[in-house]
Amino acid sequence: RPPRSTLSSSSAASDVYKRQALESRIKKFTDNYKLFNCDCNECIDQILSEIPQKSHYLALIDCLGMDVPWETMKKVFSKQGDVLINFQTSLLWRQPAIVKNHSRGWKKTEENLNIFFGDDHWKESNSADDLLNVYISKIRTETSRKLVINLPVIGDKNYRYDMILATRITKNGSPWIKSMEELQAKMGGYKPNLIRSILDYLMHRQSSVVDFW
C-alpha cells in the first residue's frame, strides 16, 4: 500500500474547481490520501500531525510567490523528511526593486519580504542569484537540512524559477544526490523544450522524459 499523502493549498482553498482537479489527479496514483480544505499556513500543525513521529516524508512547497512564509517553513523542517520548494526566482527578484525605489505599495512589499524570508537579509541581494542564495543559506544555517541543491528552470522572456531540494546529509554521504546534481547540470540555462517534454509525458504524448536528453 503506498504511503499516505496529505495535500493543502494556500491559495486554492476556496476554489472548488482546483480542489476537484487536484483530487481527481491524485486518485490516479493512490487512494490513501487526505485533502485539506484550508490555507496551509493556518492548518500546517494539523497537516504535520498526520506524519508519525519517526516517519520520513517528502514535502512539496509549491509557492506562487511569497505565499508560504518562513514561519510555516520552520514547522515543515521540524519533521524528519526531504523538502522540495518551488522558489519563484524572477518574480521574487522584482520585489526588492519596489522597496528600493519606494514604488507604490513598497512598505507592504517590504513587510511581505521580511515575513517570507524570515528576516531582512534579502536586502543584501544584488541579483536574482543572490536572492536565491539568501534563501538557501537560511535553510542550511537554521535547519537540519545542510544539503541543498537548486534546479533552475528558465523559460521565455527571462522567466525563471528554481526547484530547491533540501535534505539531510546521511552517514553514507548521500550518494543518491549525485543524480540530482546531474539533473541540475542538465536543467541549467534556457530549456523551454524540457518543459514541453515534461508536459508531453504527463499528457501521455511521449513515453519518457528521458527522450528529451
Side-chain angles (χ1 to χ4, degrees), residues 50 76 104 114:
E50 295 285 330
V76 173
R104 184 176 180 180
N114 288 340

Side-chain angles (χ1 to χ4, degrees), residues 128-141:
D129 283 323
D130 285 349
L131 196 65
L132 171 66
N133 288 329
V134 165
Y135 197 78
I136 290 176
S137 177
K138 192 170 183 69
I139 294 173
R140 287 178 176 150
T141 57

Side-chain angles (χ1 to χ4, degrees), residues 143-159:
T143 79
S144 59
R145 281 36 168 221
K146 307 303 179 186
L147 187 53
V148 186
I149 292 179
N150 68 292
L151 306 176
V153 180
I154 302 175
D156 296 326
K157 298 180 181 179
N158 295 319
Y159 175 72

Side-chain angles (χ1 to χ4, degrees), residues 55-152:
S55 294
H56 199 82
Y57 72 88
L58 172 63
L60 171 60
I61 312 299
D62 191 12
C63 294
L64 299 176
M66 296 187 285
D67 40 329
V68 183
W70 186 251
E71 284 301 311
T72 298
M73 293 304 303
K74 284 198 300 185
K75 292 183 177 182
V76 173
F77 284 123
S78 70
K79 289 279 190 175
Q80 300 279 343
D82 301 324
V83 183
L84 191 61
I85 306 162
N86 182 357
F87 187 88
Q88 295 289 341
T89 317
S90 58
L91 184 150
L92 288 169
W93 175 235
R94 292 196 289 269
Q95 308 311 305
I98 294 175
V99 178
K100 183 178 180 180
N101 298 326
H102 284 196
S103 300
R104 184 176 180 180
W106 73 270
K107 287 187 177 180
K108 185 61 178 178
T109 300
E110 182 178 37
E111 178 185 348
N112 289 340
L113 282 165
N114 288 340
I115 292 172
F116 178 76
F117 284 95
D119 53 44
D120 64 354
H121 288 310
W122 54 269
K123 293 181 178 179
E124 303 167 5
S125 303
N126 294 309
S127 67
D129 283 323
D130 285 349
L131 196 65
L132 171 66
N133 288 329
V134 165
Y135 197 78
I136 290 176
S137 177
K138 192 170 183 69
I139 294 173
R140 287 178 176 150
T141 57
E142 297 189 14
T143 79
S144 59
R145 281 36 168 221
K146 307 303 179 186
L147 187 53
V148 186
I149 292 179
N150 68 292
L151 306 176

Side-chain angles (χ1 to χ4, degrees), residues 6 34 36 38 40 42-51:
T6 57
K34 183 173 182 178
F36 287 84
C38 61
C40 67
E42 297 174 358
C43 59
I44 186 63
D45 293 327
Q46 185 183 357
I47 295 171
L48 293 177
S49 69
E50 295 285 330
I51 305 174

